[in-house]
Amino acid sequence: MRGRSGGTRTRWVLRAVPLLAVLLAGCGTDPGTASGDQDAASRPPAAEHWRPEPGVDWQWQLSGRIDTSVDAPVYDIDGFDQDAKTVAALHAEDRKVICYLSTGAWEDFRPDADAFPASVRGKSNGWEGEWWLDIRRTDVLEPLMEKRIEMCAEKGFDAVEPDNMDGYLNDTGFPLTAAHQLRYNRLIADLAHRHGMAVGLKNDLPQIPELVDDFDFAVNEQCAQYEECEELTPFIDAGKAVLHAEYELPVADFCPESRRLRLSSLLKKYELDAWRKGC
């Protein structure tokens, strides 16, 4: 039985991959029809949406009963496990609410798990019940992810936190390239915007320069532990929040630097229950 709800994770990144090699990797011919490559003019116009600003405080809770007493103006909670009533209760207390979804991995415990064909499921991402998705297959994944994002919108969420957005840096079982990841991440951002919600870039630090204009904020795990927080400054420079969590460092080790960089930093437990320490 899982000890948490949702699939946030520390990164199983192949950190030895040089950035230039990743960015120049070949695209090849993708399986399926890449509907994510449609011309933007053919899509419905994006609705206006909330945009969190640098330094905003936040609470990240993906397991347990949501504790609405935490004094934070932004809550990030599981999109499947939490209902419209919970979102409305947070809105009644003048909070903005982010919908956590896994968009890059298949989770066998989700209610729509059977809709994902075996052909798009790859290797385990290191968490029980989760496998990487073949993000090249936008013909299969786009409608499935749009249904998930529609669910968030129907429940009243203000934004989406799409997880597992850096498969190209991991051993997924598929020959994913940086180009595949850029296309897929932009597709997810476009879907969220079409449904009137903000969207955050989860980890994927090497592609921040290419993606900062497509996303409204960033969500990062452990940039202080891996001495990477400076790489998130393009979001801050663009007036966009960086929602940052550490798990293993004491707050005294990362909060001074977080304040200098204007990151929205928390110390959390890996199970992402209600417990937190803010900077």
Side-chain angles (χ1 to χ4, degrees):
M1 183 174 180
R2 297 170 64 84
R4 61 184 170 82
S5 171
T8 191
R9 68 245 334 115
T10 54
R11 288 161 293 161
W12 296 73
V13 175
L14 303 179
R15 297 182 179 274
V17 177
L19 175 59
L20 183 60
V22 170
L23 294 177
L24 296 178
C27 298
T29 301
D30 297 342
T33 301
S35 55
D37 287 342
Q38 292 177 13
D39 187 271
S42 68
R43 297 187 181 280
E48 283 299 311
H49 55 270
W50 166 65
R51 294 173 178 84
E53 297 181 353
V56 66
D57 196 14
W58 70 306
Q59 164 65 330
W60 198 12
Q61 184 180 350
L62 301 185
S63 67
R65 182 183 179 89
I66 299 299
D67 180 358
T68 61
S69 70
V70 176
D71 186 17
V74 177
Y75 270 63
D76 188 339
I77 61 178
D78 189 274
F80 279 102
D81 290 350
Q82 306 304 326
D83 58 18
K85 183 178 179 180
T86 300
V87 177
L90 289 166
H91 282 161
E93 297 180 358
D94 202 26
R95 275 77 176 263
K96 296 294 186 181
V97 194
I98 300 172
C99 181
Y100 170 88
L101 293 175
S102 182
T103 50
W106 178 69
E107 303 160 301
D108 66 6
F109 50 90
R110 295 302 192 186
D112 62 353
D114 290 345
F116 291 77
S119 61
V120 301
R121 306 176 205 163
K123 293 184 177 181
S124 169
N125 68 0
W127 292 98
E128 183 181 355
E130 300 183 23
W131 289 262
W132 289 106
L133 287 169
D134 186 354
I135 60 169
R136 300 171 300 166
R137 294 295 308 277
T138 53
D139 58 319
V140 174
L141 295 181
E142 180 175 359
L144 294 172
M145 294 306 163
E146 182 154 27
K147 285 182 181 178
R148 289 185 167 193
I149 288 168
E150 284 176 339
M151 172 190 71
C152 296
E154 289 168 359
K155 290 181 179 182
F157 282 94
D158 303 286
V160 177
E161 180 212 333
D163 201 4
N164 295 295
M165 297 284 275
D166 56 2
Y168 75 110
L169 293 174
N170 292 269
D171 183 13
T172 63
F174 305 111
L176 303 182
T177 68
H180 296 136
Q181 196 71 58
L182 284 171
R183 185 185 68 187
Y184 187 72
N185 289 3
R186 286 175 173 141
L187 169 62
I188 297 299
D190 182 62
L191 290 173
H193 289 154
R194 274 193 265 164
H195 290 280
M197 294 179 290
V199 61
L201 179 64
K202 181 68 170 287
N203 297 323
D204 193 14
L205 295 175
Q207 295 188 329
I208 285 175
E210 288 83 5
L211 292 173
V212 64
D213 290 340
D214 298 281
F215 287 81
D216 304 291
F217 60 98
V219 181
N220 176 266
E221 296 167 292
Q222 299 173 285
C223 71
Q225 181 173 340
Y226 293 107
E227 300 182 350
E228 298 169 334
C229 292
E230 289 277 359
E231 297 180 41
L232 290 150
T233 55
F235 274 96
I236 300 298
D237 292 344
K240 300 176 180 183
V242 173
L243 309 181
H244 161 233
E246 294 289 331
Y247 303 110
E248 299 179 9
L249 299 179
V251 291
D253 284 3
F254 66 87
C255 282
E257 180 72 355
S258 288
R259 286 191 287 268
R260 182 183 74 83
L261 295 174
R262 300 175 66 203
L263 309 184
S264 302
S265 298
L266 299 174
L267 178 63
K268 295 289 294 184
K269 298 176 182 178
Y270 279 111
E271 55 266 34
L272 290 176
D273 57 12
W275 184 90
R276 76 195 278 272
K277 283 188 180 180
C279 288

